[in-house]
Amino acid sequence: MRRRVTEAGFARVASLALVMLCAIVLTGALVRLTGSGLGCDDWPNCNSTKFVDVSSGHAAIEQVNRLLTGVVAAAVVVAVLGSFVVRPVPRHARALAGSLVIGVLAQVVIGAYVVWTGLNPWSNMAHFLVSAALVVLATLLVRVSQQDSSRQGRSATPRVMSLLF
C-alpha cells in the first residue's frame, strides 16, 4: 500500500519550504548587514581547524546561516517527496518542488564561491538573486498546492500571473 498525502498536508509542506527559504534570506541579510560574510573564512569548514566555530560574533552569525542551509535543504526535499505522494497531484507541483532542490544545490555552490572569492560583489549578487528566485518558486508552489479543486473545472492549467495575484 502506497502512502498518500492530502492536499492540505502538501500545502503545509510547501508552506514550510517557503518559510525556511525566507528564513535563510533573512539570516543571509544578517550576515551581510553585520559584515559577518567572512566570519568563517573557509568552506565547507568555518576555518582551517574547525568545521563549526562560534568563538566570535561574526563566526556565529555566519555559522547559523550555513547550518540553516541544511534545514532548508531538508524542507525542500520533503516538498519534492510530498509532490510524489499527494493525491490529487497539483499541476506543476513536481516541477516547482524539484526546482527548489536544484536552486538550493546551486546556492551551496554559489555560497562556496562567494567565500572563495572573498565576497566578490558579483558572486554575492548572484547568491542573492538565486535566493529571490527560490522564494518566488516556493510562493508559486504554495499557491499551486492551495488551489481550490473547484477551479479545476474552470481552468486545468492555471497561469503564472493568476498564481501570483
Side-chain angles (χ1 to χ4, degrees), residues 31-108:
V31 167
R32 189 78 175 131
L33 291 172
T34 61
S36 300
L38 290 177
C40 291
D41 59 0
D42 199 5
W43 194 93
N45 294 339
C46 186
N47 56 48
S48 60
T49 60
K50 296 181 181 176
F51 179 70
V52 175
D53 182 11
V54 292
S55 61
S56 73
H58 288 308
I61 291 169
E62 176 68 10
Q63 280 298 161
V64 166
N65 184 260
R66 287 186 184 190
L67 295 174
L68 187 59
T69 301
V71 178
V72 171
V76 299
V77 166
V78 169
V80 168
L81 295 174
S83 74
F84 281 93
V85 294
V86 64
R87 295 294 182 263
V89 180
R91 190 156 190 130
H92 309 297
R94 290 180 183 151
L96 287 167
S99 68
L100 295 179
V101 171
I102 292 167
V104 169
L105 291 173
Q107 284 293 65
V108 170

Side-chain angles (χ1 to χ4, degrees), residues 92 96 136-137 139-140 143-144 147 157-165:
H92 309 297
L96 287 167
V136 168
L137 292 168
T139 301
L140 289 172
R143 292 294 303 263
V144 163
Q147 289 293 318
T157 309
R159 304 233 185 267
V160 170
M161 293 311 288
S162 68
L163 291 172
L164 290 172
F165 303 106

